Amino acid sequence: MKKLLTIIMFLSLLCCSGCAYLGDYLEIAEGSAISDEYLSALNRWTREKTVYAELETRALIVATYESQIFIDAFRDEYARIYQLPRGDERVGKNMLGNGEKGFEEFLFYASMPDRDANDFAREDSVWDIFLLSENYERFYPDEIREVTAISPVIKKFFPYVNPYYGKFYSLRFACPEKGVGESQKRLKLVFASVLGRVELEWGY
């Protein structure tokens, strides 16, 4: 009985000594979580589609349009988590696109059973990618880059990315005016190949 009381007292003291740190721990955990506001912005500017053939999945593509609204939401969220001024250069460095005028930028994740067909960044890719404006102007990408370094930041900010099953890409188009998708009613991103066709549309 005496031994049991000693153990109980020891555990009580241990718990009390940890109480001083519990508040700080919870604050850090809460501060590192992605906010509902950012996830709402991500959801608003993200589209996805699965291509099926004979009840089998041929390809899954998920794309986020880096509108100015989305870029602002990303920067605000990154600055909030790391407690940085919004204009800090470290915020910009962690953007996979920079919102430069004259360009439209997308991030997309592609997963498919045939990994050899997941070759969007190759010059001889089986996929053809183009952007259609509301006026049906067709733009081909100036840059398709595979994002090979999938950091914890990417996985948290873009939770649809799973490097074990697919690849993540950055896509850039040179357009006459930045904000085709924001100033017009429709913007369509098209992926076409012998495996199927994916059309992702952003509208207002």
Side-chain angles (χ1 to χ4, degrees):
M1 184 68 178
K2 184 176 181 181
K3 186 177 181 181
L4 179 60
L5 288 173
T6 302
I7 293 173
I8 292 173
M9 290 177 65
F10 174 77
L11 291 176
S12 298
L13 289 170
L14 185 64
C15 291
C16 288
S17 64
C19 288
Y21 302 97
L22 182 60
D24 292 340
Y25 174 78
L26 291 176
E27 185 176 324
I28 292 171
E30 182 180 358
S32 65
I34 301 298
S35 69
D36 291 341
E37 288 78 11
Y38 170 77
L39 292 176
S40 177
L42 178 66
N43 183 65
R44 176 183 175 186
W45 297 103
T46 299
R47 303 288 184 271
E48 71 173 83
K49 188 172 182 180
T50 303
V51 176
Y52 296 98
E54 298 178 354
L55 302 180
E56 293 185 356
T57 300
R58 285 284 183 88
L60 165 67
I61 295 179
V62 187
T64 300
Y65 170 43
E66 292 196 287
S67 67
Q68 190 59 55
I69 296 173
F70 174 76
I71 290 173
D72 289 344
F74 181 97
R75 287 175 173 165
D76 287 344
E77 185 69 358
Y78 191 92
R80 181 190 70 81
I81 290 174
Y82 289 96
Q83 297 184 349
L84 297 170
R86 192 174 179 276
D88 192 290
E89 63 177 8
R90 285 169 288 182
V91 177
K93 285 181 179 178
N94 281 277
M95 284 292 301
L96 293 175
N98 56 19
E100 185 179 345
K101 290 184 178 180
F103 290 92
E104 295 291 358
E105 295 172 292
F106 296 81
L107 298 169
F108 74 93
Y109 168 79
S111 174
M112 53 196 70
D114 183 359
R115 294 187 67 87
D116 291 336
N118 199 341
D119 63 350
F120 295 88
R122 288 178 52 179
E123 289 186 6
D124 59 345
S125 172
V126 299
W127 295 91
D128 190 23
I129 306 176
F130 55 92
L131 186 66
L132 286 176
S133 72
E134 185 184 21
N135 299 323
Y136 298 101
E137 290 182 273
R138 182 177 293 199
F139 301 94
Y140 288 96
D142 281 53
E143 179 186 69
I144 306 173
R145 177 173 57 89
E146 181 182 349
V147 181
T148 55
I150 306 300
S151 66
V153 172
I154 289 176
K155 288 191 285 187
K156 286 294 185 181
F157 276 83
F158 303 94
Y160 54 75
V161 175
N162 187 331
Y164 297 103
Y165 294 101
K167 296 180 180 180
F168 194 38
Y169 298 90
S170 174
L171 186 59
R172 194 179 196 195
F173 297 86
C175 297
E177 295 182 7
K178 169 66 183 171
V180 170
E182 297 176 53
S183 62
Q184 301 190 46
K185 294 181 180 179
R186 299 290 174 188
L187 180 69
K188 185 180 291 185
L189 183 61
V190 180
F191 301 82
S193 81
V194 293
L195 299 177
R197 183 182 180 90
V198 172
E199 296 185 358
L200 302 175
E201 188 170 326
W202 288 258
Y204 294 79

